[in-house]
């Protein structure tokens, strides 16, 4: 049984390797069989402890919502049992002082409980607006063929590595309009502080200039700044570079996150939310980016060549506020953030690992088990998120099938009874799934039973901008806005995953119908999407 279940997770593909040029089979066609491992099927492995964790979050934040209705019910029953004349007599009759005291104490308890609820309730976090970097310099735009030529001109790769890159790009889902720094074509070392700072200044200041222009908020009004970049972490930090460039105020709370991979955008968002909860009447800016040139691997280890093929230039800047008066101008309200970290497991920890190869070239090594590890982290995250966002009908169906399976635990058909996996399309109108690769998006769509339209923004972002790391989920939201699909009350699910291994979710609720803005990275090409090659 175990072998059969394992075999179901494998898929085979016959690869034409062309005509053999030498050896006993010279002149004949040769083929190879490629075996791929799919994401684990979620319906066969739902861990109840993560469902309980989600309900723990829900109950923790809903204790006052459960208490206040009870108090209202008791108080209403006491008052409702009296006629109007009796109520007036009990309150105003001086001989009924005890009854008056009872009414006043009940009213005081009710008002006190209501006050504690509103005072202890977390402040609403609003997204005023966001911006995504799009180069104005068209020299940075490359086709897949130009990308290979840049790699060839650098003289760092042998023909076998170049052919491997070409095959990866052909099946990657990346189009011919992505952006890279041309320094990657240099025969010299591109992972220098000078190149890193130059690229960081270009993408970060490009996104922030647009953000401040769109929000009409001065840099000096920002009280919290969070910058995340996984690999490039100079001294002074990137956050200090931003403060220096925009001459921000001296008491700003600044944070610089490094080494946290493609999911760092939501981690930075979580940190900004916590800071806003502790500092009322404030603005927070979250900047998410990655440096392509500084991450460029110049060796020939195939497991370390893969990031070269996928990562492209990109940056997002987000303006958050906890000011109640920003309710009317905000585009979204933050509803939930759920973070999952599998770093305690050694295999997960080393699934994406920065190290040096045998020639001392530094790069990111991708484990062959990455897809399976990512599937396990994703399963944990969405199982925890479910109780917070799913309608009651879906949760009822899930628990009824789960209880039924537990009751039949030792029965002959216990393995055949699968737990009901809730339909997350009932919880969200829009999906922004990290655009890692076409293969990952295909497996996610299959396991979560999402439609082509649900993943259209992710596929379009991968095709147009490539994998921009932690900022990709914001390019996807910009795509939805450019298509004018986000309506008032719609819920948006941002899902990202990265080294560690981590999987993180953020849920937003739209505050208004989003119209196509004058500044959007998709404006010049939105009518070409979706494309057939998706």
């Amino acid at each position: 049984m175990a072998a059969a279940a394992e075999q179901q997770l494998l898929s085979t593909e016959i690869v034409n390797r062309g005509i053999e040029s030498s050896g006993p089979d010279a002149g004949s066609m040769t083929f190879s069989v490629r075996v791929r491992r799919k994401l684990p099927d979620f319906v066969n492995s739902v861990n109840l402890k993560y469902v309980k964790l989600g309900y723990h979050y829900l109950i923790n934040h809903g204790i006052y919502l459960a208490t206040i209705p009870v108090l209202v019910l008791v108080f209403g029953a006491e008052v409702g049992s009296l006629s109007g004349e009796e109520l007036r007599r009990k309150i105003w009759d001086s001989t009924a002082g005890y009854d008056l005291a009872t009414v006043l104490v009940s009213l005081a308890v009710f008002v006190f409980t209501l006050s504690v609820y509103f005072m202890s309730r977390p402040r609403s976090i609003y997204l005023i607006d966001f911006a995504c970097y799009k180069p104005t310099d068209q020299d940075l735009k490359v086709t897949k063929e130009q990308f290979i030529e840049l790699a060839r001109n650098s003289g760092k790769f042998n023909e076998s590595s170049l052919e491997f890159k070409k095959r990866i790009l052909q099946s990657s889902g990346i189009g011919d309009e992505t952006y890279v720094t041309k320094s990657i074509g240099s025969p010299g070392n591109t992972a220098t502080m000078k190149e890193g700072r130059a690229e960081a200044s270009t993408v970060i200041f490009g996104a922030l200039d647009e953000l401040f222009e769109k929000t009409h908020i001065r840099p000096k009004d920002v009280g919290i700044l969070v910058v995340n970049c996984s690999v490039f972490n100079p001294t002074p930090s990137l956050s200090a570079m931003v403060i220096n460039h925009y001459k921000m105020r001296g008491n700003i709370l600044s944070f610089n996150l490094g080494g946290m991979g493609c999911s760092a955008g939501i981690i930075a968002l979580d940190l900004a939310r916590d800071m806003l909860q502790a500092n009322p009447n404030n603005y927070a800016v979250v900047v998410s980016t990655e440096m392509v040139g500084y991450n460029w691997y110049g060796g020939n280890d195939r497991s370390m060549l893969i990031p070269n093929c996928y990562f492209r230039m990109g940056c997002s800047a987000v303006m958050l506020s906890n000011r109640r008066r920003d309710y009317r101008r905000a585009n979204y309200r933050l509803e939930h953030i759920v973070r999952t970290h599998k770093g305690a497991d050694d295999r997960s920890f080393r699934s994406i690992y920065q190290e040096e190869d045998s020639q001392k070239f530094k790069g990111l090594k991708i484990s062959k088990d990455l897809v399976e590890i990512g599937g396990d982290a994703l399963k944990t995250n969405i199982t925890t998120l479910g109780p917070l966002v799913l309608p009651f009908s879906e949760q009822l169906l899930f628990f009824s099938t789960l209880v039924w399976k537990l009751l039949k635990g030792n029965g002959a058909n216990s393995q055949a009874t699968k737990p009901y996996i809730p339909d997350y399309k009932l919880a969200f109108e829009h999906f922004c799934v990290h655009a890692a690769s076409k293969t990952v998006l295909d497996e996610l769509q299959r396991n979560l039973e999402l439609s082509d339209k649900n993943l259209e923004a992710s596929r379009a972002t991968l095709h147009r901008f490539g994998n921009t790391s932690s900022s990709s989920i914001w390019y996807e939201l910009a795509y939805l806005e450019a298509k004018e699909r986000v309506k008032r009350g719609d819920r948006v699910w941002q899902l990202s995953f990265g080294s560690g291994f981590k999987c993180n979710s953020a849920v937003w609720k739209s505050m208004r119908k989003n119209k196509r803005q004058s500044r959007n990275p998709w404006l010049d090409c939105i009518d070409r999407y979706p494309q057939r090659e998706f």
Side-chain angles (χ1 to χ4, degrees):
M1 292 294 293
E6 178 71 16
Q7 188 174 2
Q8 290 180 355
L9 294 178
L10 303 178
S11 65
T12 58
E13 176 186 357
I14 299 178
V15 181
N16 184 351
R17 303 186 63 179
I19 299 176
E20 188 68 28
S21 59
S22 61
D25 297 325
S28 60
M29 297 292 292
T30 58
F31 300 87
S32 63
V33 178
R34 180 182 297 164
V35 180
R36 298 179 182 273
R37 186 175 182 86
K38 302 178 182 178
L39 281 173
D41 193 349
F42 299 140
V43 298
N44 287 324
S45 54
V46 175
N47 198 324
L48 185 59
K49 71 177 181 179
Y50 300 121
V51 182
K52 291 167 62 178
L53 181 60
Y55 275 102
H56 171 73
Y57 291 158
L58 181 65
I59 293 172
N60 243 11
H61 293 87
I63 186 66
Y64 292 111
L65 293 177
T67 304
I68 292 175
V70 173
L71 291 174
V72 172
L73 185 63
V74 172
F75 183 74
E78 175 71 20
V79 174
S81 63
L82 303 174
S83 64
E85 184 62 32
E86 291 176 328
L87 181 61
R88 285 192 296 271
R89 181 178 58 80
K90 284 184 174 289
I91 294 177
W92 298 109
D93 190 351
S94 59
T95 61
Y98 176 78
D99 293 325
L100 177 60
T102 302
V103 172
L104 293 178
V105 168
S106 301
L107 184 60
V109 170
F110 173 71
V111 171
F112 175 77
T113 305
L114 200 62
S115 300
V116 170
Y117 166 68
F118 281 109
M119 291 176 65
S120 62
R121 187 179 61 171
R123 291 174 174 271
S124 294
I125 306 300
Y126 302 110
L127 191 157
I128 304 299
D129 214 330
F130 67 97
C132 297
Y133 168 74
K134 181 184 176 185
T136 55
D137 184 0
Q138 294 302 308
D139 289 339
L140 298 176
K141 184 184 292 188
V142 295
T143 64
K144 291 191 285 288
E145 289 76 13
Q146 290 171 337
F147 181 83
I148 295 298
E149 282 304 310
L150 282 172
R152 178 177 282 110
N153 294 338
S154 70
K156 300 173 182 176
F157 309 100
N158 56 38
E159 284 300 319
S160 175
S161 296
L162 291 172
E163 284 299 317
F164 176 73
K165 283 190 173 187
K166 188 180 295 184
R167 291 198 302 271
I168 291 291
L169 283 174
Q170 288 172 352
S171 60
S172 64
I174 295 176
D176 290 326
E177 294 183 289
T178 58
Y179 302 97
V180 297
T181 173
K182 292 304 175 66
S183 65
I184 65 174
S186 169
N189 180 19
T190 62
T192 64
M193 280 293 170
K194 180 180 178 180
E195 292 290 345
R197 288 185 186 277
E199 184 179 347
S201 300
T202 300
V203 298
I204 292 177
F205 298 156
L208 283 173
D209 286 346
E210 180 180 335
L211 179 69
F212 291 131
E213 179 184 335
K214 291 171 71 173
T215 60
H216 303 291
I217 295 174
R218 300 179 306 166
K220 285 188 177 293
D221 293 333
V222 176
I224 300 164
L225 173 66
V226 184
V227 179
N228 70 267
C229 181
S230 187
V231 176
F232 181 61
N233 291 285
T235 300
S237 65
L238 294 177
S239 59
M241 184 183 75
V242 172
I243 294 170
N244 175 263
H245 179 80
Y246 291 100
K247 308 305 177 187
M248 292 178 161
R249 65 197 200 196
N251 64 344
I252 188 172
L253 303 176
S254 65
F255 303 88
N256 202 87
L257 304 181
M260 307 195 78
C262 300
S263 65
I266 294 181
I267 297 173
L269 185 67
D270 190 27
L271 175 58
R273 178 188 64 171
D274 291 344
M275 291 297 101
L276 285 171
Q277 295 293 357
N279 297 272
N281 299 317
N282 241 315
Y283 290 115
V285 169
V286 177
V287 179
S288 301
T289 188
E290 197 58 72
M291 301 301 111
V292 176
Y294 196 81
N295 289 341
W296 188 252
Y297 169 65
N300 291 286
D301 187 323
R302 291 195 172 186
S303 64
M304 302 173 78
L305 284 171
I306 296 175
N308 281 7
C309 300
Y310 283 101
F311 286 105
R312 297 293 188 270
M313 292 177 70
C315 180
S316 65
V318 181
M319 181 70 72
L320 304 173
S321 172
N322 60 5
R323 304 186 181 199
R324 290 188 174 91
R325 58 177 170 273
D326 286 326
Y327 171 85
R328 296 186 179 277
R329 62 180 298 206
N331 288 323
Y332 301 91
R333 183 177 67 232
L334 183 61
E335 298 287 309
H336 305 287
I337 291 180
V338 173
R339 294 169 55 181
T340 299
H341 204 305
K342 293 289 185 176
D345 174 63
D346 291 341
R347 199 167 64 120
S348 297
F349 176 69
R350 297 189 68 91
S351 60
I352 302 176
Y353 201 81
Q354 186 183 25
E355 61 182 14
E356 294 177 343
D357 64 7
S358 58
Q359 303 298 318
K360 302 301 180 182
F361 289 112
K362 182 179 63 178
L364 293 174
K365 189 165 189 176
I366 306 298
S367 167
K368 63 181 180 180
D369 299 325
L370 178 63
V371 176
E372 179 186 357
I373 291 167
D376 181 58
L378 178 64
K379 177 194 67 178
T380 302
N381 188 265
I382 65 174
T383 306
T384 307
L385 178 68
L388 303 175
V389 298
L390 288 167
F392 179 73
S393 58
E394 285 297 296
Q395 298 189 45
L396 186 62
L397 284 171
F398 170 78
F399 275 106
S400 62
T401 55
L402 188 63
V403 170
W404 178 250
K405 182 177 181 179
L406 293 175
L407 292 176
K408 297 177 63 178
N410 297 322
N413 298 323
S414 61
Q415 297 298 324
T417 305
K418 297 179 180 180
Y420 175 77
I421 297 302
D423 184 0
Y424 283 85
K425 295 188 293 294
L426 298 177
F428 309 106
E429 284 74 30
H430 308 286
F431 297 78
C432 296
V433 179
H434 170 51
S437 70
K438 183 177 183 296
T439 301
V440 170
L441 293 178
D442 289 343
E443 293 296 336
L444 285 171
Q445 181 174 4
R446 179 181 65 85
N447 277 281
L448 294 179
E449 299 181 354
L450 302 177
S451 66
D452 290 338
K453 191 170 184 179
N454 292 145
L455 284 184
E456 181 183 318
S458 299
R459 296 188 189 280
T461 297
L462 181 64
H463 184 271
R464 177 62 180 85
F465 294 98
N467 183 346
T468 61
S469 189
S470 55
S471 63
S472 68
I473 53 178
W474 295 104
Y475 285 87
E476 293 162 19
L477 185 55
Y479 176 89
L480 295 172
E481 290 192 350
K483 285 286 187 180
E484 300 185 55
R485 291 180 180 170
V486 184
K487 307 293 190 289
R488 179 183 176 88
D490 283 359
R491 294 153 298 179
V492 181
W493 181 18
Q494 290 183 321
L495 176 66
S496 65
F497 35 90
S499 59
F501 191 87
K502 301 181 286 294
C503 181
N504 301 315
S505 291
V507 179
W508 301 91
K509 185 173 182 179
S510 176
M511 306 291 288
R512 59 179 44 81
K513 183 183 187 305
N514 292 105
K515 298 180 180 180
R516 187 180 298 187
Q517 299 182 2
S518 58
R519 299 291 299 272
N520 188 299
W522 293 92
L523 290 184
D524 65 337
C525 61
I526 191 63
D527 295 331
R528 303 202 306 264
Y529 289 92
Q531 298 190 358
R532 290 184 178 179
E533 57 190 274
F534 286 174

